[in-house]
Amino acid sequence: MRPSNTAAAIAARRTQTKEKLDRVTTAIGQLRRDRGRLTVRAIAERADVSSTFLYENTDARALVQNAVTDSRSRRVAAGQAEHERIEATWRERALNAEAELTRTQKEVLVQRQRIGELMGQIRDFDQMVPGESVQHLISENTTLKHRVQQLTQEHRKLQERLEGARSNLRFSDKRIAALEAELLETR
């Protein structure tokens, strides 16, 4: 072979390699835009090059490795962000339920103290005041007892909601741990 033919063959080979690298770069960009899975096979098919070229050419191998690594880190970051968002909502719900439970418990305590005071006043009036006033106080006492029952029921409902929120939080923690384990296994 003559030196001019060899030089022409080398130049043609370099041009082909440059075109293939450009197609690989374009294919990676298209797969990212299409949110396709970045694998050697997918990139090779999209760029219309062989997998062997991607493995043997150092520039192509570097492009593919960088794209795959970047894709994995983006997926992991997206999974972590979703995990944090879900956990934050459950944590907020549990905190709201606990705050409402605390408020209800304080209200029940205040109502019980008020009932105690009123019961004492009824005993005092019962000794001092005849029939009609006693009936009025008895009806007021009955009303207060109903209110205590209502508050007790609200307290019970809020306690059940809190337990439900805690159960949901435990379930989501288990599910998130399972998903994280799956993510680690796929690496």
Side-chain angles (χ1 to χ4, degrees):
M1 224 182 206
R2 291 188 306 229
S4 63
N5 287 345
T6 305
I10 291 172
R13 180 82 170 161
R14 285 186 181 149
T15 303
Q16 283 180 338
T17 302
K18 172 87 172 86
E19 289 173 359
K20 287 180 181 180
L21 287 173
D22 289 342
R23 290 197 315 250
V24 167
T25 302
T26 303
I28 290 171
Q30 289 172 347
L31 285 170
R32 280 186 179 152
R33 277 192 303 279
D34 298 343
R35 303 230 184 251
R37 188 152 171 93
L38 289 174
T39 62
V40 173
R41 185 175 187 163
I43 294 169
E45 287 176 7
R46 183 71 63 104
D48 195 27
V49 296
S50 68
S51 298
T52 306
F53 171 77
L54 295 179
Y55 286 115
E56 289 179 355
N57 185 289
T58 55
D59 294 334
R61 187 173 356 141
L63 284 171
V64 170
Q65 285 176 345
N66 289 339
V68 169
T69 302
D70 185 47
S71 174
R72 282 186 186 148
S73 64
R74 285 182 185 179
R75 278 194 313 249
V76 168
Q80 183 66 24
E82 181 66 14
H83 164 72
E84 289 172 1
R85 185 189 65 80
I86 291 171
E87 187 172 320
T89 60
W90 283 109
R91 187 177 299 122
E92 183 179 336
R93 289 178 187 168
L95 290 173
N96 288 343
E98 287 178 356
E100 191 62 27
L101 180 62
T102 302
R103 187 197 64 77
T104 303
Q105 288 172 338
K106 288 179 183 177
E107 179 70 22
V108 167
L109 181 63
V110 167
Q111 292 297 326
R112 285 182 179 165
Q113 289 173 344
R114 179 73 177 136
I115 288 171
E117 291 170 5
L118 292 174
M119 291 294 284
Q121 290 175 5
I122 288 175
R123 281 187 218 110
D124 292 344
F125 282 125
D126 193 24
Q127 293 172 1
M128 297 168 49
V129 180
E132 205 171 285
S133 297
V134 172
Q135 281 302 84
H136 175 70
L137 290 174
I138 290 173
S139 67
E140 186 177 337
N141 185 32
T142 305
T143 304
L144 288 173
K145 285 181 181 179
H146 285 8
R147 179 69 180 141
V148 167
Q149 288 175 348
Q150 288 174 344
L151 289 172
T152 303
Q153 288 174 350
E154 286 179 23
H155 173 73
R156 203 172 295 124
K157 286 179 185 176
L158 288 172
Q159 188 71 32
E160 291 171 2
R161 284 183 186 171
L162 177 60
E163 288 301 319
R166 286 178 178 160
S167 174
N168 287 338
L169 183 59
R170 284 190 297 271
F171 173 77
S172 69
D173 284 344
K174 288 178 184 176
R175 179 69 179 138
I176 289 167
L179 289 173
E180 288 174 344
E182 285 182 25
L183 278 174
L184 290 175
E185 291 175 3
T186 58
R187 287 186 181 175

